[in-house]
Amino acid sequence: MQTDNYYRQASFLTSAAKFSQCLPDEGFEVAFAGRSNAGKSSAINVICDHRGLAKTSKTPGRTQLINFFELDEERRLVDLPGYGYAKVSVSIKKDWQGNLAIYLEKRQCLKGLVLMMDSRHPLKGFDVQMLEWAAHIGLPVHVLLTKADKLKKGPASASFHKVKSALKEMDGEFSVQLFSSLKKTGVAEAHRKLNQWLDRA
């Protein structure tokens, strides 16, 4: 695995239960979003080579806060609430999905969104809504097709090309790659995209 040592220095900074509690809107941020069972926390941990950075759980949907991780004084990674699966009350779900939308639309220092999709089940309803919303607000998106290790080479390639073709049909700045937290494949490619967004030449 090729690892950019820069991301190993990521450390938890703070959590926000609502948009008004977010850190000052300055510097560079890249946010991570996805369905609650897409392996988002595991992917963040592998990208940062830091097993306990983002809290993982066997119960999908445990991330209900906006979690900020510091890379340096100017740059942060942000773990957004998972969507579409969590067994929580409707009122709580509406509350943190509302915060998600406000963050994506209003956050000026947000340079890009990493959107996780299970490579076996990509482009579910919420995923498409996220892509359409990102296109509407002009937010670049890099899709990580997670759990690629659970597919053989042919089906994994088919999933990749299916999503790539769908993204071309949408009017947005989108890219896509295969990724496996278990096998730690696709990390270097993810780092290149993050470096681009975080202005790391």
Side-chain angles (χ1 to χ4, degrees):
M1 176 183 69
Q2 287 180 279
T3 303
D4 186 332
N5 289 336
Y6 176 76
Y7 293 96
R8 286 180 176 166
Q9 66 192 27
S11 61
F12 175 75
L13 198 55
T14 190
S15 295
K18 49 189 177 181
F19 182 72
S20 61
Q21 297 172 347
C22 287
L23 293 168
D25 194 350
E26 56 194 28
F28 301 85
E29 283 180 1
V30 172
F32 291 75
R35 289 178 62 83
S36 301
N37 54 347
K40 179 164 56 69
S41 297
S42 296
I44 293 172
N45 290 341
V46 168
I47 285 169
C48 293
D49 196 23
H50 192 320
R51 185 178 296 176
L53 186 65
K55 302 302 181 189
T56 59
S57 171
K58 291 182 180 178
T59 305
R62 294 300 293 271
T63 304
Q64 296 178 18
L65 302 171
I66 300 173
N67 294 312
F68 293 84
F69 302 99
E70 184 178 49
L71 294 169
D72 61 32
E73 289 184 356
E74 287 190 309
R75 297 169 178 84
R76 296 171 298 277
L77 302 180
V78 184
D79 187 9
L80 297 174
Y83 55 81
Y85 186 92
K87 295 178 181 178
V88 296
S89 73
V90 172
S91 61
I92 291 174
K93 190 177 291 190
K94 282 184 177 178
D95 206 31
W96 49 258
Q97 289 182 355
N99 283 317
L100 183 77
I102 294 168
Y103 172 84
L104 293 174
E105 183 176 9
K106 303 291 187 185
R107 194 72 169 167
Q108 295 298 307
C109 65
L110 180 62
K111 304 304 178 186
L113 177 70
V114 179
L115 182 60
M116 315 282 181
M117 298 183 198
D118 187 324
S119 58
R120 300 165 298 174
H121 315 288
L123 299 171
K124 294 291 189 181
F126 276 108
D127 300 329
V128 174
Q129 284 181 28
M130 287 289 284
L131 290 166
E132 289 174 343
W133 180 248
H136 175 68
I137 62 177
L139 178 65
V141 177
H142 184 61
V143 175
L144 282 194
L145 293 174
T146 60
K147 306 183 183 183
D149 55 278
K150 297 185 181 296
L151 291 174
K152 292 184 178 180
K153 191 173 182 179
S157 178
S159 178
F160 170 80
H161 287 291
K162 173 187 174 183
V163 174
K164 188 175 182 179
S165 295
L167 295 178
K168 282 185 178 178
E169 297 296 317
M170 298 182 182
D171 186 23
E173 188 181 333
F174 301 146
S175 52
V176 60
Q177 69 164 102
L178 289 166
F179 189 89
S180 168
S181 296
L182 183 65
K183 300 290 187 181
K184 298 184 178 179
T185 53
V187 176
E189 186 176 351
H191 283 162
R192 285 193 291 272
K193 177 57 69 173
L194 292 176
N195 288 342
Q196 175 188 329
W197 282 341
L198 293 169
D199 195 30
R200 291 188 69 232

